[in-house]
Structures are given as structure tokens and as C-alpha cells.
Amino acid sequence: MPETVPSPSAAAASAAGRPAADPLRWKALVFIALAQLMVVLDATIVNIALPSAQEDLGISDGNRQWVITAYALAFGGLLLFGGRISDIWGRKRTFVTGLVGFAIASALGGAAQSEALLLGARALQGVFGALLAPAALSLLAVMFTDAKERAKAFGIYGAIAGGGGAVGLILGGFLTEYLDWRWTFYVNIPFAVAAAIGAYFVIHEPANARNRSALDIPGVVLSTLGLVALVYGFTRAESEGWSDTLTVVMFVASAVLLAAFVAVEARVKAPLLPLRVLTERNRGGVYLSLGLAVISMFGLFLFLTYYLQIVKGYSPVRTGFAFLPMVVGMITGSTQIGARLMNRVPARLLMGPGFLVAAVGMLLLTQMEIGSSYTALLLPAMLLLGLGMGTAFMPAMSLATYGVEPRDAGVASAMVNTSQQVGGAVGTALLNTVAASATTAYLTDHAGSATSESALRLVQLRSMVEGYTSAIWFAVGILVAAALIALTMVNAGSHDASGASRSDDGSGTDGVEDAVKVPVIAH
């Protein structure tokens, strides 16, 4: 092949003694972002199609939750394993394998003629998603090491991670209303094929970034069982209650298994999750604050979807479009605020205020009533939510993998996804429980006063809204807690163009290890 002329940035990097960047990294970002969009879309797109799929395949009310739960258990339980596999096996290979497997699983789901095949396809999607998601984020971590470029790349990734779920509601509404529920599965196939082909030809992973250690089998078993028990415990709590015997057993088992996992990781020579990844102050703060923020967001998506469709009478498509201001806000906050300011101000001064702005948007939604105006209340609330979350997510995504040794990039990326997955399970169960309790209490107090069928229907709608707003109050508090954690635990400074970390007082590195050392990529 002819010799490639170094780009100005590559020449500058060489002169500064830093490794040359991959000239195809921006093209690679397109396919990484496409894959991430597919995974995030899938988290919400199936929710819209579930009623149609349930009717078509004859799934009982008791079993319909497994269409969601089968995916969540496989995805959440195997994330750490998937992250370490990408470190050992190679991120590009893991990424492409995850895409191909996800496409096959989606085809099986779309063609399913029975409940068992649909549930099996969803579990298989979760398995390959657990390979794909950590590989995607860790590829960004090892390919973008220049601070300014890293900010732009993670700004795009953060916008997709935050706003993709709302886009899934729009797409799911269109496909379900105008085509068929099966297309909510089939739509993944072109995404996956395009991303896999592009990744195969464009992505060049640094040669020396792999972890050559043996796989920690006890760690894999304990972490997978512990996370599955935790996610299933919260999922079951939503439907069966917190005092249900099996729910309590799942939580106890999860605590025991995860405690054993930590004990094993502290002793084995080549741990699945090196504790240094968790104990570094900034990353710990990011994982915790992101998990809390996702608790709020997952509950909000659920309540707003029900409010718009059941209380306001919106169609699935109109409901999807109603979420567009949040998507616009997330993209703006991530790419125009977070990405532009990350190199100028400390991450905590983006994350903390970002979560607080989102909390203000959430606070507005506590004022919802049956006749609330979309333009006057919901629109500004969702814009604030999107702006705040986008601004906070962008530096959080970058900081979660910044300074990680290349051999740990996959498992550090997996921890980001794990905190989000567990946060989603917690949010759905916890906030649903709060909403259900408030709804029941309102009905008990007011149903007796209804003198006609129309009056009773009005009381029922008011009780739903009372439940939603009560749960949203909890979500506001959780977002404020996320902001406080970000402001107190995250002490990394801004990053200048050379990739050096500056502390809050401008005196040098503060709380973050040196930038990822990536070897020169040979072509």
C-alpha cells in the first residue's frame, strides 16, 4: 500500500511525543454510533409493539413482561463478561460479532410464530448486546485520545445514548401503526449489517491494547448470577411487590453473590473487573451518578408514555413525536454545550448543573393535570430535561473511560452500561411502585364520590395522574442526589488539547490518571 501522508494533527502528535491518531477514526465513529443507536432504540421500540405482539402470539398478561425481562436479564447479566471479552479477544472482533449476532436474533424475533421463540430471540439479543455495547464505547476510548477530538466524539455518542430511547418511541409508533409489530425487530437488521460491514473495513484497533490475561471464570459466574438476580429482583418487585418471597430471595442472593464477586476480584491474579476501575474516585462518581440519573429517566419515559396515550388520548406516532423536544435538547446539550465546554471547565461543573437543570424540567412535570397543555408545560419540561441530561451525559461518558489502561477499557465501558441497565431496572420498579401506591390511595379516597360512569372515569384518570406526579417527585429527588454526587465525588479538571488533565485551580492533573497510551497504528 502507498505510504499515507500524516495529517496535521498526526504530525503535531508526533512532534509532541504522542502516538499518531488513526486517520479513519472519524469514519469509524459513524459505524460505532450507528450500532449504539440500534442498541438504544431496541430498549424502547419493543415497548410500543408489545400489545400487538401479545395479541398476535397469544401471550398471557402474566408472561408478556418476559418480552422485556428476557432481554434485560441477558444484557444486564453479561455486560461485565462482554466487556472483558472485548479486552481479551479484541474490540473490533467483539464489536462485529455482536452486530452479526444481534441481526440474527432480530430476524428470529421478527419471524417468531410462538411465544417461546420470541422470548428466546429477545434473550439472544441481550447476549449479543452485552458483547456489542461495551466494545463500542471502549473502541472510542482507545481511538480518540486527543482531548478536543475526544470531546466531539463522546458528544455524539452521549447524544445518541441519551436521545436514542425517545427516537425508539417515534420509530416504534410508526412501525406498529403503519406496518406490523414484527418490523420493530426487522428494523435492526439494516442497522447491524451496515455497521458490521463499515466496522470491518474502517476500524483499526491499536495492536497492543488487548489484555492477554486468562479469563477469570469464577468472576464471570459470580458477576453474571449476581447481576441477573439483581435485575430480576427489581423486575419482579414491579409486578409482584417488594414483599414477595421470590423477590426478597433474589435481592439476598444478589447481595451474597456480588459480595463474593468483590472478594474474588480482590484476590485473583487477572480479575474480570479490576477493583482499580471502580475505586478511582472520578469513575466511581460517574458510575453512581449515571445510574441514579437513569433511574429517573426510565421512569419518566414510562409515565409520560402512559399519560400521553391514556390520559391525553395520543396515538403511538403522536406520542413518539411528543418526545422530540427531549431528543433535540439532548443533542444540543451533548454536542453544543458539553462537547464545547469539556476542555474548558471541570467535568463536575457540567455534570452537576446538567443534572440540576434536568431536575428543574422534572419538577415542572409534577404540575401535570388531566387538562395540562403540551405547549405550556410538557414542551419546556422536556427541553430542560434533554438539555440537562445531554450536558451531563457527555462528560460522564468520556470520564468513565478516561485514564483507564487500554487493557481495561472494555470492562470500564461495561461498567457504564451496567450502571445504566441496573438503573433502568431500579427506576422502572421503584417509581412504578410509588405511582401505583399513590393511584390506589387516590381512588380509595375519591371513588365513592363518583355518581356516574363518566364521573368514575374522571376519578380514575385523576388517580393515574396523581400516581405519575407522585413518582416524578421521587425522580426529582434522585436527580438532585445525582447532581450532589457528581459535584462532590468527581474532581477531575478540564482537559487541554494535549490531553493533559487540569485541576480546578489549573495546577495540573487532579484525580485522573494519564491519558490512555495508545501505540502508533501501522497500516
Side-chain angles (χ1 to χ4, degrees):
M1 291 180 63
E3 184 176 354
T4 304
V5 178
S7 66
S9 62
S14 178
R18 290 183 281 115
D22 182 353
L24 297 177
R25 61 197 179 281
W26 290 108
K27 291 181 180 178
L29 175 62
V30 172
F31 300 110
I32 293 170
L34 189 64
Q36 174 65 12
L37 178 60
M38 179 190 71
V39 172
V40 177
L41 283 176
D42 198 71
T44 54
I45 195 171
V46 175
N47 291 347
I48 297 290
L50 185 55
S52 300
Q54 180 184 358
E55 182 179 355
D56 195 16
L57 298 181
I59 302 173
S60 68
D61 287 343
N63 287 343
R64 69 181 175 184
Q65 65 164 336
W66 282 100
V67 177
I68 307 300
T69 304
Y71 177 86
L73 291 181
F75 187 74
L78 293 171
L79 273 168
L80 288 179
F81 173 66
R84 184 50 91 196
I85 285 293
S86 72
D87 287 332
I88 295 173
W89 198 32
R91 296 170 188 87
K92 175 179 175 178
R93 185 183 298 175
T94 306
F95 183 69
V96 173
T97 301
L99 284 166
V100 172
F102 204 93
I104 293 171
S106 298
L108 290 173
Q113 297 298 321
S114 67
E115 175 183 335
L117 185 55
L118 181 63
L119 296 181
R122 286 292 285 164
L124 201 59
Q125 278 186 315
V127 171
F128 286 106
L131 288 178
L132 173 60
L137 186 55
S138 60
L139 278 169
L140 287 188
V142 299
M143 293 178 75
F144 290 91
T145 55
D146 175 81
K148 288 185 177 178
E149 291 190 348
R150 186 182 178 89
K152 292 177 184 176
F154 276 89
I156 295 169
Y157 187 90
I160 291 171
V167 175
L169 295 173
I170 300 172
L171 190 57
F174 260 110
L175 294 173
T176 303
E177 195 164 329
Y178 297 116
L179 290 174
D180 185 76
W181 67 266
R182 297 180 185 279
W183 282 95
T184 60
F185 286 90
Y186 290 144
V187 74
N188 291 328
I189 298 173
F191 279 97
V193 170
I197 292 173
Y200 182 81
F201 288 106
V202 169
I203 291 177
H204 300 283
E205 185 182 357
N208 297 334
R210 289 192 195 177
N211 188 327
R212 303 293 181 180
S213 303
L215 186 62
D216 170 21
I217 300 299
V220 169
V221 174
L222 289 170
S223 67
T224 300
L225 293 177
L227 288 171
V228 164
L230 182 63
V231 172
Y232 183 57
F234 281 112
T235 303
R236 188 173 176 84
E238 178 191 354
S239 58
E240 303 299 329
W242 295 89
S243 60
D244 173 72
T245 302
L246 186 54
T247 300
V248 175
V249 168
M250 286 294 106
F251 284 137
V252 172
S254 174
V256 172
L257 288 164
L258 292 178
F261 171 68
V262 172
V264 167
E265 299 307 276
R267 289 170 173 77
V268 297
K269 184 178 180 181
L272 175 72
L273 175 62
L275 297 184
R276 60 180 176 269
V277 172
L278 289 178
T279 54
E280 199 280 318
R281 174 173 177 164
N282 292 281
R283 285 193 291 274
V286 165
Y287 298 147
L288 190 54
S289 60
L290 269 183
L292 288 172
V294 171
I295 289 176
S296 300
M297 288 300 292
F298 263 67
L300 181 72
F301 276 137
L302 187 68
F303 298 138
L304 277 184
T305 299
Y306 281 134
Y307 174 77
L308 291 170
Q309 291 195 31
I310 296 176
V311 178
K312 304 292 284 184
Y314 283 21
S315 69
V317 172
R318 190 180 178 190
T319 300
F321 275 107
F323 280 95
L324 267 181
M326 189 183 299
V327 178
V328 172
M330 283 184 174
I331 293 172
T332 303
S334 187
T335 61
Q336 301 303 312
I337 301 175
R340 290 177 182 273
L341 295 181
M342 194 181 82
N343 299 319
R344 301 177 185 178
V345 300
R348 66 186 180 85
L349 297 184
L350 291 173
M351 292 175 62
F355 288 137
L356 289 176
V357 168
V360 171
M362 200 82 79
L363 191 63
L364 289 178
L365 292 176
T366 62
Q367 305 306 306
M368 282 194 311
E369 298 176 354
I370 292 178
S372 293
S373 164
Y374 175 84
T375 306
L377 181 67
L378 271 67
L379 176 63
M382 285 197 275
L383 277 172
L384 286 172
L385 272 162
L387 277 172
M389 287 297 193
T391 300
F393 270 37
M394 189 270 137
M397 289 287 185
S398 178
L399 199 58
T401 55
Y402 188 84
V404 177
E405 297 176 33
R407 62 197 174 109
D408 294 332
V411 76
S413 301
M415 274 303 302
V416 178
N417 291 283
T418 300
S419 67
Q420 291 177 313
Q421 187 66 24
V422 172
V426 174
T428 304
L430 177 63
L431 297 182
N432 249 0
T433 302
V434 173
S437 298
T439 296
T440 301
Y442 188 93
L443 272 175
T444 302
D445 292 341
H446 297 84
S449 62
T451 56
S452 65
E453 187 174 334
S454 60
L456 180 60
R457 174 61 178 164
L458 187 62
V459 169
Q460 289 173 335
L461 291 176
R462 284 175 177 164
S463 69
M464 289 181 191
V465 176
E466 179 70 19
Y468 302 154
T469 54
S470 297
I472 291 172
W473 271 110
F474 272 78
V476 171
I478 292 169
L479 273 178
V480 171
L484 292 175
I485 288 169
L487 288 168
T488 55
M489 285 188 67
V490 177
N491 66 349
S494 58
H495 303 288
D496 62 27
S498 66
S501 177
R502 290 194 298 243
S503 63
D504 292 355
D505 61 5
S507 60
T509 301
D510 182 8
V512 182
E513 303 146 58
D514 291 336
V516 177
K517 304 298 190 295
V518 182
V520 177
I521 302 168
H523 294 284

